[in-house]
Amino acid sequence: CIRDRADPAEDLETFNRREAMRETVFLALRTAAGLSAAGFARRFGEPFEAAFPEAVARLEGRLLREGGQWRFSPADWLLYDHLIAEFF
């Protein structure tokens, strides 16, 4: 892209529905705010835990739902790269 002198901002990545779900989770769980349960359901038409039941089950105790938000426990933030792999 850069070698061809093309503008990288014009190279848009596209996702299918499942990939968009994963990307949303990947980006949201990197933040202290976490993933909005209502926002995910509104955007994708199903609850987060229904979209990723296996990952939610495997991450029990590390992936927390608090006040309508899903997030990793602060003690697990340094393990983010390892934990997020459960969604892929």
Side-chain angles (χ1 to χ4, degrees):
C1 195
I2 294 174
R3 220 179 290 168
D4 300 333
R5 298 192 185 266
D7 183 355
E10 292 179 9
D11 186 23
L12 298 176
E13 192 172 5
T14 59
F15 301 103
N16 64 34
R17 182 174 182 272
R18 188 67 176 171
E19 291 167 339
M21 288 175 157
R22 288 185 179 125
E23 188 72 8
T24 298
V25 170
F26 178 83
L27 294 174
L29 290 180
R30 297 180 71 178
T31 68
L35 176 72
S36 165
F40 186 92
R42 189 171 41 256
R43 180 173 181 189
F44 296 108
E46 67 180 298
F48 166 70
E49 60 272 29
F52 297 101
E54 298 88 6
V56 171
R58 285 191 298 264
L59 293 169
E60 185 177 350
R62 294 180 183 266
L63 181 63
L64 312 173
R65 184 169 183 180
E66 301 170 333
Q69 298 293 114
W70 288 92
R71 60 176 56 95
F72 287 123
S73 69
D76 291 319
W77 285 352
L78 293 176
L79 301 174
Y80 174 82
D81 289 340
H82 173 72
L83 299 176
I84 201 68
E86 294 291 341
F87 294 94
F88 291 90

